[in-house]
Amino acid sequence: MDARGIIGDLAASGHLSADAAAWFAAGLADGSVTDAQAGAFAMAVRLKGLDPAERAALTAAMRDTGHVLAWDLPGPVVDKHSTGGIGDCVSLVLAPALAACGVYVPMVSGRGLGHTGGTLDKLEAIPGLGVELDEAAFRRIVEETGAAIVAASPEIAPADRRLYAIRDVTGTVESVDLITASILSKKLAAGLEALILDVKAGSGAFLPDLDDARALATSLVETANAAGCRTAALVTAMDRPLAPCAGNALEVAASMEALEGAPGALRDLTVALGGALLDLVGIAGGEGRIAASIDDGSAMDRFARMVRAQGGPADFASTWRRDLPAAPVIRDVPAPSAGTVVAIDGRALGMAVVHLGGGRLRGGETLDLSVGLDRIARLGDRLSEGDPLARIHAPDEAAADRAAEAVREAIRLGETAAPMPLVIERIGP
Ligand code: URA
């Protein structure tokens, strides 16, 4: 086999055999496939599409280019993946809540992408906490505390690491087949028994259109189950921020409040996702168990233990208010008129945070983890003139002025709001 033949066949016939997928994935990982060939392959997949068996074969082949973890633990090994959005810090609440319920969560997470924040960047707002752990440390923390949240090491799905960077510059990110193989090659390498997917739809989502979100959820669920990992997806609302904030330290604060028992959509979605995941591994009454782990403090205890094990403060559960970084300029954005919040452009809010320095415009940039937005008005809130649309945390007054303009444009006032239900539908077993 050779790359030219595989790409030529795929472009001509639209078919990719399991052997060809394995050959190409191995070539991506060992460098024998060139960048030009990888770009052409990605474009052929994007234009021709793969059938479910071909997609599963490509996913498994990419997973198998690196280490695939195996566990010997006294409970099921599970994880959650979200397609990302604004104020989506569920992982920080859910991982320890699941650990408190007796399952193990080796969570391999990502950094901010486009307008959406990343779990690893959020965690790094906790002083001292490290996410670039080697495999031995990752395994030890999962065994001892029940959960660890880390970056993919270079040994996890190296074919995806290479292909993702090439897709980013060849217009081939938006392919359901390639997104599926990319997400699942990394998740399945963690050796999971079950996986719950949170696929967002709405203005702040990676795929705003509900039908596109459904198609991605279906592809992810079919492919993960074909690979032997029990998987379901919840398609959930991202027509407004999940927690009413966006920004790294601010989302850690929102997560700590949720772990302290604060009500709201962050808690509700954590309970729904955790309940569905416990269901997949045969643990009955999952939603009640997740809620109880928050209410009795055991989820918070697990989080504090995980933070300590990953190098963070010794007692983050009691010191988080003073440990998290604070921005120098904090001020409200007043509503220009009275009205009901009828639409929130999540992508625009996310980009406002990026421009404040809380996300990346180019790969490799260092972030200001203190900046962002909080107290974001909720869809359906009735505001008087001058009531806050949101509160800005900025590095200086000029940046705060620019963010205020973006917030005023992103939050539309009118008469009647029609928010999506938080959980729109469940796909899968
Ligand atoms: N996240 C990934 O890991 N891969 C994609 O292709 C898209 C989102």
Side-chain angles (χ1 to χ4, degrees):
M1 271 189 205
D2 64 275
R4 189 163 49 173
I6 293 171
I7 299 162
D9 284 352
L10 181 57
S13 70
H15 289 300
L16 179 70
S17 70
D19 286 347
W23 191 97
F24 207 90
L28 282 166
D30 69 19
S32 57
V33 163
T34 67
D35 283 2
Q37 289 167 331
F41 175 82
M43 188 57 83
V45 172
R46 176 172 179 180
L47 295 179
K48 291 287 183 179
L50 299 179
D51 70 26
E54 292 166 341
R55 196 188 303 134
L58 180 62
T59 304
M62 284 172 50
R63 175 198 64 196
D64 293 341
T65 56
H67 291 184
V68 180
L69 301 184
W71 301 91
D72 181 15
L73 293 167
V77 177
V78 302
D79 198 3
K80 183 244 10 168
H81 177 81
S82 158
T83 56
I86 306 299
D88 177 10
C89 37
V90 165
S91 293
L92 303 191
V93 187
L94 181 58
L98 286 165
C101 293
V103 299
Y104 290 84
V105 192
M107 194 176 271
V108 177
S109 285
R111 299 202 175 269
L113 197 63
H115 66 287
T116 65
T119 300
L120 300 179
D121 297 324
K122 293 172 202 179
L123 275 174
E124 283 181 345
I126 300 175
L129 187 143
V131 293
E132 312 272 350
L133 303 186
D134 62 30
E135 205 175 296
F138 182 39
R139 298 186 76 96
R140 181 178 47 76
I141 297 170
V142 171
E143 278 165 26
E144 287 173 7
T145 72
I149 305 180
V150 302
S153 72
E155 289 83 36
I156 297 279
D160 178 61
R161 185 175 280 248
R162 177 129 185 269
L163 187 59
Y164 191 86
I166 293 167
R167 285 167 59 210
D168 203 21
V169 294
T170 54
T172 51
V173 170
E174 283 89 2
S175 149
V176 166
D177 300 309
L178 294 175
I179 295 170
T180 300
S182 171
I183 291 174
L184 290 181
S185 61
K186 289 174 293 220
K187 282 287 169 188
L188 298 177
L192 307 177
E193 190 172 322
L195 173 66
I196 188 74
L197 299 159
D198 179 7
V199 180
K200 309 283 194 191
S203 69
F206 173 56
L207 294 175
D209 181 75
L210 183 54
D211 286 334
D212 290 345
R214 278 193 186 110
L216 178 59
T218 304
S219 164
L220 287 164
V221 165
E222 281 177 4
T223 308
N225 281 294
C229 176
R230 257 168 286 153
T231 301
L234 300 186
V235 178
T236 70
M238 189 35 70
D239 55 345
R240 69 282 189 171
L242 181 63
C245 59
N248 298 292
L250 296 168
E251 292 185 52
V252 175
S255 305
M256 295 308 284
E257 285 167 359
L259 284 165
E260 286 176 345
L266 174 57
R267 176 192 170 101
D268 294 346
L269 189 56
T270 300
V271 167
L273 290 164
L277 188 46
L278 292 179
D279 207 34
L280 286 171
V281 292
I283 298 176
E287 291 200 357
R289 286 174 193 259
I290 297 287
S293 77
I294 294 173
D295 295 334
D296 68 13
S298 54
M300 177 65 100
D301 178 58
R302 292 291 176 143
F303 189 68
R305 283 165 59 188
M306 186 191 87
V307 165
R308 187 165 57 242
Q310 291 192 219
D315 188 16
F316 192 62
S318 49
T319 60
W320 66 268
R321 285 187 171 77
R322 65 165 192 268
D323 288 339
L324 290 173
V329 176
I330 300 177
R331 65 157 126 114
D332 286 342
V333 185
S337 59
T340 298
V341 177
V342 294
I344 300 181
D345 181 344
R347 188 169 288 261
L349 289 184
M351 287 315 295
V353 176
V354 171
H355 288 295
L356 281 167
R360 293 178 189 82
L361 287 165
R362 279 172 295 279
E365 281 175 325
T366 305
L367 302 186
D368 181 342
L369 299 169
S370 69
V371 301
L373 309 170
D374 69 352
R375 301 186 186 173
I376 301 171
R378 288 168 307 176
L379 264 189
D381 279 356
R382 178 83 204 156
L383 303 182
S384 302
E385 185 181 334
D387 283 352
L389 291 172
R391 188 168 70 159
I392 291 173
H393 299 244
D396 54 48
E397 295 292 345
D401 287 344
R402 288 191 295 274
E405 189 54 38
V407 168
R408 275 191 293 272
E409 279 182 18
I411 300 183
R412 194 152 59 79
L413 299 174
E415 284 308 312
T416 317
M420 292 172 160
L422 180 60
V423 176
I424 299 163
E425 65 190 66
R426 178 186 165 123
I427 292 177

